[in-house]
Amino acid sequence: MTVSVDQFKNYDGHAQRERPPEDPELTHVGINTPCGEYLRQFWHGIALSEELTDLPLEIRIMGEDLVLFRTSDGEIGLVHRHCAHRGASLKFGRVESDGIRCCYHGWKFDRAGCCLDMPAEPADTPLKDEVRQRAYPAQELGGLVFAYLGPDPAPLLPNYDVMVREDCKRVVGVKTDHCNWLQRIENGHDPAHLGILHAAGYPQIALQRNIFTREKTWYGYRTISKFKDEMAKVSHQIFPSHTRRVGARVGDPPRHYIHYRVPVDDTHTATWSVQVEITDEGPYDTVCRGWSPTERMVYEHEEDGWWGIPSRDQDRIAQESQGLIHDRSRETLATSDSGVVQYRRLLSEQIKAVAEGHDPLGVIRDSEKNQCVSFDATMNFADGVKGAPDMINA
Amino acid sequence: MTVSVDQFKNYDGHAQRERPPEDPELTHVGINTPCGEYLRQFWHGIALSEELTDLPLEIRIMGEDLVLFRTSDGEIGLVHRHCAHRGASLKFGRVESDGIRCCYHGWKFDRAGCCLDMPAEPADTPLKDEVRQRAYPAQELGGLVFAYLGPDPAPLLPNYDVMVREDCKRVVGVKTDHCNWLQRIENGHDPAHLGILHAAGYPQIALQRNIFTREKTWYGYRTISKFKDEMAKVSHQIFPSHTRRVGARVGDPPRHYIHYRVPVDDTHTATWSVQVEITDEGPYDTVCRGWSPTERMVYEHEEDGWWGIPSRDQDRIAQESQGLIHDRSRETLATSDSGVVQYRRLLSEQIKAVAEGHDPLGVIRDSEKNQCVSFDATMNFADGVKGAPDMINA
Amino acid sequence: MTVSVDQFKNYDGHAQRERPPEDPELTHVGINTPCGEYLRQFWHGIALSEELTDLPLEIRIMGEDLVLFRTSDGEIGLVHRHCAHRGASLKFGRVESDGIRCCYHGWKFDRAGCCLDMPAEPADTPLKDEVRQRAYPAQELGGLVFAYLGPDPAPLLPNYDVMVREDCKRVVGVKTDHCNWLQRIENGHDPAHLGILHAAGYPQIALQRNIFTREKTWYGYRTISKFKDEMAKVSHQIFPSHTRRVGARVGDPPRHYIHYRVPVDDTHTATWSVQVEITDEGPYDTVCRGWSPTERMVYEHEEDGWWGIPSRDQDRIAQESQGLIHDRSRETLATSDSGVVQYRRLLSEQIKAVAEGHDPLGVIRDSEKNQCVSFDATMNFADGVKGAPDMINA
C-alpha cells in the first residue's frame, strides 16, 4: 500500500531545475580558443620514448591530429597527420633516413615539414620549395617525448629535478582520463580530498580535515597541508598542468612524482607520470611501464569499507564522474575549495596575459635557470612514516 | 540486358521528397519541456525492489541522471547523480545508516537532500544548513520502486488492483525499448494492430478487422474491441502512459497485466510490467524476473508464416522500427487509427492544462479513492477460451 | 637534458592554423542537395542479385533508407523503409506474390508503391487508392541490382560491355569504404598515384612519374598513362562515378574491371565491382563473391618495403585516411593532380546543368545506342606483360 504524501515535503529536486550554462573559457583547448592558445605556450608530453620506432605513431593533442616518428638518422619528427598534398594520413607513410614519405603520391617531408621529394612531379618543380607540411618541435627527456605547439620562439623544455636527476630509479607511464583537462588539474590544487577520496590508502587521516596554506611562486603554487597539526605534506602545482609531490599510500614505498596532464581534446586528458625513488644504491635506470588501459566509467569494484574503488583509479573516477566537461554552474564551493578557486582565477588571468602577448607563469627561457629545477616536496606522518627523502637536501 | 523505361512510370519516390519537420511537443520529455513537465505530475516506475542494495544504483528517467539507494535504516533515497559540492557522481558514494556520502570530499546527504556532514569544512560551517542535494520522493509498491519528479505537493501513488491485490501470483519485470516514449504509448491506444502484428499469437483473428469503441474516463480511456462480433476485449489506457489489460496469446495462460511505460530519455523507454494470475490456491507471492536485455534493431528471426519475429518482441520491433523518434509528418492516418488520434489530442490538451496549473487526468489526491483502483479488463473468444478471471467480480 | 631552442626555428605548424571551411557542394549527397539531385539522374548499384530472397533487404543509398524485395511472382520492388501508414519498417514486412505487407497493420504495397490491401479498414475505404508508398524503379544486370532514385522519366540502365558480354568469366562483389564518395571518385581520375600507392604491386613503375593525357568524351574522360615512354595504360572515367579499366598487379591475372562507386550517405561509399576475364574457353558464368567486410581505419599490416598495407586495401586506406569528408581547403594541388582538378570542374558544371533541367553527361536514353557500350581499356608493360585482351578487338 502506498504512503501518505506528508512524508514527501521538502524535496526540492524539481524546484532547483534551472541553472546557467557551463562556461567554455577554461575548458576548451582546441586551436584558436583562448585556453588552447594559452596551453600552446608550453611543452607537453606526447609519447613514451619507447614508442618511437620506424612506424609512424598517431598522436592527438589539444584536438590536433599528428604523426610522430624517428628517422633512421635519429631525428624526431612531429607533423600534422594529413599530408599537405591531398590529405592522406602520414600514419601510412614510410619513415626513411631523413623524413617521412606519404603513401598516396610519395611526397617526402623532413622533421621541420620541408619537402624533400615529389616523385610524380617534374624534377624542377618550384612547388617542392614552397609547400610546407605543418610541423612542430619535439624532443625527449627522462623517457618521455615532449612537443611544443605554440608560436615562435619555443621556450625551453623545463629540466625538472625528477626528470634530470641521475641518482634514482625512474618509472614512466601514461594513461588516459576520459574527461576534460580542467577537472584533472583542479584535483591537484585541492588538498582537501586527500583524506577522503584516498581514505583507504591513508587511514591515519581518513575523513580528517586538512588545514592547508598556499603560496604563489614563479611556477604556480607551493602548498603545505596539515592534519591535526601532526602531519605535513608539501606539494607543488606547476602551471599550466603539472603536479610535483610525494606519495606514500599504504602498500607503496614513498616516492617523488611529477604528473604532466595533457589535454588530448576537450573530453580526454592524458596523464604522463614519472615516479622517482631516491636510493643509495643503483642501478639507476628508467623503466617504462607503458600505457595503462582505461575506459570511461568502467572501473573495478573492490571492497575497502569506503568507496569500493581501487587506489590507482580513485582520482580518475572522481573526475570522470563529474561529467565529460564538468558543469561548474551547479557547484557549491566551500572554504576547503580555496585552492581550486585560486587556480581558476590565476588561470583566467594567465589566459588573458597570453592573449595580450605576455609570457605566462612557468615558462623558462633562460638556460642558466634550467640546469635542474628543484622542489621541496615532502610528506611526513607523526607516527614516524616519512614520505620520501627530500630531493633538495638529499 | 536492361529493360525499357516504360515499365517504370508512376514510381513517385522522388516526387514525394519534401515534408514538414517532426513536432517535438508530444515527444520531448526533458526538464523544462512542455511534455516533460506534464509527465512530471505523475509517479513513475524507476527500479525493481530487488535491485535496492547497499550499493547506489544509477537511474536515468526523462533525461535526468539520478542515484537510488536504501539506507541501512531502511529509507529510500533518490538524488541527483552529481554531488551538489563539486559534481562527483554519488554512484561512488557510500550508503550509511542515514544517507549517502560522496567519495570526493565526504559530504553526506539524507534522502531529502539535506546535508548531514562536511568533514573537510570547519565544524560550525553555516553552509551545511544551506546546501541541498536535489532529491525526489521515492517509494515501493508491488515489487517496484516509484519516483515523483514534479513540483510540490506530490499526488498519491495509485493503488491499482494488480499492484495491491493479495490473492494472486505476481511477476514483475522490466525492459528497455530503444525509441521515443510516445510510440510505445500510442501502441496501447491502437486496438487495430492486435490481429495483425500479433497474428501468429492470435490465429482466431489473424488479419481480421477490429471494430472497437472507446469511452473517456477519469483516468483516460476504456476500450472495447470486437472481431466478427464474436470476441470482445476490454482494456484500459491509463494516463499518462500505462495500459491495464488481459493477455491470452497462444502458448501462454491468460493473465492480467499493467504496463508502466516510462521515458528514460527522448529515445529510450522503460516498460515496467506487472502480470498477475488470479488463482484459487496460493502461495500468493511476487516473483521478480529482472531485466530482459534488449538491443536496438537486434532481434531473433523465427519462422512463423507471418513477420518472423518472436511474440515477446513484436510490439517492440514495430515501435523501434518507426525510428528513434517517429516522424509523424509522413504518416497516413486511417479510420482504425482513431484511438491514436484521440490520445494525441487529449495528451496535447493535458499538456496545456498542466502548463496552466491544473491537475491532469489520472492524478489521485484523495486517499479514500486510492484503497484499490480496479478495472474490468477481459478477453473472451467465442470458441470458449476466456481470457482471464475478471478482477472486478472475482 | 633538454636541447637549445635554436634548432626549432622554422617550424610553422602553429603559424598555419587558419583555413577556410570545407565546401559541401560536391560532397553532400542527401535528398534536395545539389550534388544529391545530380546523382539521382543516374542508375546506381544497390545490391547483389544473390541477396534477393523472400526476406526484405535493408538498403541505404544517398542517405535514404529503403527496403528491396523480390515477390514470388518475380518482380523486384524497392520502397522507402518506413510504411506510409504509421512508419513501421518494411524490413519486417512479409513478401507475398504481388507485393510486401507491413507487420504493424497489414497494409500491402506493390513494387510501384500502390496499396493492394488494408485489412484493418472497411473494405470500401477510398484511402487504399489514394495512399502511395514511396517507391523507386529497380532492375538487374550482370549479377547486380540497380536502382533509379531520380525524377520521371528514368533513363536507360547502361549496357556496359563487361556487364553484357557473354564470352567471359564474371565475378561480382561489393564492399563499403568509410568515407565520402568524392574521395573514391577522385582516385579514379588520378593516374599519378599508380606507381606510388601501388608500388608493391607494380614494381616496374615504383615511384615513377606517370605522364598522362586525358580526353573528354560523351561519358566523361578517356585517360592514357605512360611511364618512361615504355608502358601505356588506357582507362575510362564514366560519369558520375564509375571506372572502366584493366588491372594487372603482380600476383593477379590481367582482367577488365568496372567499379560503380555509390554513395551510401555523406560518409560511406559502396563499391560494386565487376571483373571480367576474357577466355577462349568457358564455362562462361557469373560468380558472386559477396560482401568484403571493412571497418574504418582497421587494416592489416603487411611488410612489403613500402606502406605496409595489403594490395586490396591500398586505395581504401588512402581515401579513408583523408578523413570522413576530406577537407579540400588544406590541399596543395600539383601538376599531377590535373585529372582531379578537371573532374571537380566538370562535376560542378554538371551539377549546375542538372539544376537547370538538362540531362548530364553519361545518361543514355536511346536504346539503339545501348546495345553494348564498349571501351578500349588496356595496360601494357614493355617487358612483354600485356594487361588483358582488348574487349573492343577481342
Side-chain angles (χ1 to χ4, degrees), chain C residues 276-289:
Chain C
V276 152
E277 202 174 332
I278 306 286
T279 62
D280 291 336
E281 280 181 34
Y284 299 133
D285 53 4
T286 295
V287 172
C288 181
R289 210 174 39 202

Side-chain angles (χ1 to χ4, degrees), chain C residues 31-278:
Chain C
I31 208 157
N32 285 329
T33 62
C35 186
E37 289 305 301
Y38 162 73
L39 287 167
R40 279 168 175 75
Q41 310 299 311
F42 298 89
W43 288 86
H44 293 281
I46 56 164
L48 303 163
S49 286
E50 196 182 80
E51 294 179 286
L52 276 178
T53 70
D54 59 348
L55 290 178
L57 189 65
E58 289 180 309
I59 301 290
R60 183 166 169 83
I61 173 171
M62 296 186 282
E64 298 190 48
D65 288 319
L66 311 173
V67 163
L68 179 71
F69 58 92
R70 193 198 308 261
T71 66
S72 49
D73 288 351
E75 302 282 3
I76 298 178
L78 178 66
V79 294
H80 261 258
R81 191 163 312 161
H82 295 284
C83 178
H85 177 211
R86 296 268 312 287
S89 171
L90 293 174
K91 150 92 172 164
F92 304 102
R94 183 169 75 168
V95 178
E96 304 186 353
S97 66
D98 50 356
I100 189 168
R101 187 186 290 279
C102 178
C103 74
Y104 203 0
H105 301 88
W107 292 16
K108 181 160 78 166
F109 302 101
D110 71 11
R111 63 169 188 154
C114 296
C115 188
L116 304 176
D117 194 22
M118 286 184 171
E121 291 299 302
D124 58 353
T125 175
L127 193 63
K128 198 167 73 178
D129 296 328
E130 293 163 16
V131 72
R132 290 295 298 276
Q133 181 68 16
R134 292 177 66 193
Y136 294 119
Q139 61 177 303
E140 292 176 280
L141 183 67
L144 297 181
V145 184
F146 292 84
Y148 176 74
L149 281 75
D152 259 341
L156 292 167
L157 172 58
N159 284 316
Y160 298 130
D161 48 7
V162 291
M163 302 304 285
V164 296
R165 285 273 290 263
E166 292 181 352
D167 54 341
C168 56
K169 295 173 187 292
R170 186 179 288 114
V171 179
V172 301
V174 59
K175 66 170 176 152
T176 300
D177 296 310
H178 302 259
C179 66
N180 183 255
W181 81 289
L182 189 59
Q183 284 146 247
R184 293 309 270 136
I185 312 318
E186 288 178 349
N187 189 60
H189 290 262
D190 167 31
H193 78 270
L194 183 62
I196 300 165
L197 180 61
H198 306 306
Y202 293 112
Q204 305 97 324
I205 54 171
L207 279 202
Q208 294 301 312
R209 185 173 167 222
N210 181 344
I211 308 291
F212 59 88
T213 57
R214 281 159 59 92
E215 171 192 346
K216 188 174 162 188
T217 65
W218 67 269
Y219 55 79
Y221 290 101
R222 177 174 180 273
T223 302
I224 304 175
S225 298
K226 287 193 182 180
F227 293 87
K228 300 183 281 184
D229 294 330
E230 284 176 354
M231 173 269 200
K233 175 179 175 175
V234 178
S235 64
H236 303 266
Q237 292 73 43
I238 307 171
F239 271 57
S241 61
H242 326 322
T243 51
R244 177 66 188 81
R245 62 175 180 82
V246 162
R249 295 192 196 179
V250 164
D252 287 328
R255 296 195 190 99
H256 284 266
Y257 289 90
I258 194 164
H259 285 88
Y260 298 94
R261 310 277 184 192
V262 181
V264 172
D265 51 32
D266 287 350
T267 56
H268 297 83
T269 305
T271 294
W272 303 90
S273 71
V274 180
Q275 77 182 35
V276 152
E277 202 174 332
I278 306 286

Side-chain angles (χ1 to χ4, degrees), chain B residues 17 101 116 144 186 200 242-243 264 296 328 336:
Chain B
R17 70 189 175 282
R101 187 185 292 277
L116 305 176
L144 297 181
E186 287 178 350
H242 326 321
T243 51
V264 173
R296 178 165 170 77
R328 291 171 177 76
S336 58

Side-chain angles (χ1 to χ4, degrees), chain A residues 85 89 94 104-105 121 132, chain C residues 10 187 190 305 321 335-337:
Chain A
H85 177 213
S89 171
R94 183 170 74 170
Y104 203 1
H105 302 86
E121 291 299 304
R132 291 294 299 274
Chain C
N10 297 316
N187 189 60
D190 167 31
S321 84
T335 65
S336 58
D337 296 302

Side-chain angles (χ1 to χ4, degrees), chain A residues 31-32 37 40 43 55 58 75-76 80 82-89 92-94 101-107 111-112 117 119-122 127 131-141 149-159 164 370-371, chain C residues 1-5 7-19 183 186-187 190 192-194 196-198 207-210 297 299 301 303 305-309 314-315 317-323 326 330-337 340 344:
Chain A
I31 208 156
N32 286 327
E37 290 304 301
R40 279 169 176 74
W43 288 87
L55 290 179
E58 290 180 309
E75 303 282 3
I76 298 177
H80 262 258
H82 296 284
C83 177
H85 177 213
R86 296 270 311 287
S89 171
F92 303 102
R94 183 170 74 170
R101 187 185 292 278
C102 178
C103 73
Y104 203 1
H105 302 86
W107 292 16
R111 63 169 189 154
D117 193 22
E121 291 299 304
L127 194 63
V131 72
R132 291 294 299 274
Q133 180 68 15
R134 294 176 65 192
Y136 294 119
Q139 62 178 304
E140 292 176 281
L141 182 67
L149 281 74
D152 259 341
L156 292 168
L157 172 60
N159 284 317
V164 296
N370 198 33
Q371 295 308 306
Chain C
M1 199 54 60
T2 57
V3 299
S4 126
V5 297
Q7 64 170 279
F8 295 129
K9 295 206 184 303
N10 297 316
Y11 283 71
D12 71 343
H14 186 262
Q16 280 195 51
R17 68 191 177 282
E18 304 201 50
R19 289 287 175 97
Q183 284 146 247
E186 288 178 349
N187 189 60
D190 167 31
H193 78 270
L194 183 62
I196 300 165
L197 180 61
H198 306 306
L207 279 202
Q208 294 301 312
R209 185 173 167 222
N210 181 344
M297 300 303 280
Y299 320 111
H301 186 82
E303 262 322 314
W306 290 97
W307 325 111
I309 47 186
Q314 286 160 359
D315 289 301
I317 287 176
Q319 275 89 74
E320 289 186 0
S321 84
Q322 291 176 298
H326 169 39
R330 288 196 170 271
E331 288 180 331
T332 311
L333 296 178
T335 65
S336 58
D337 296 302
V340 171
R344 290 181 191 169

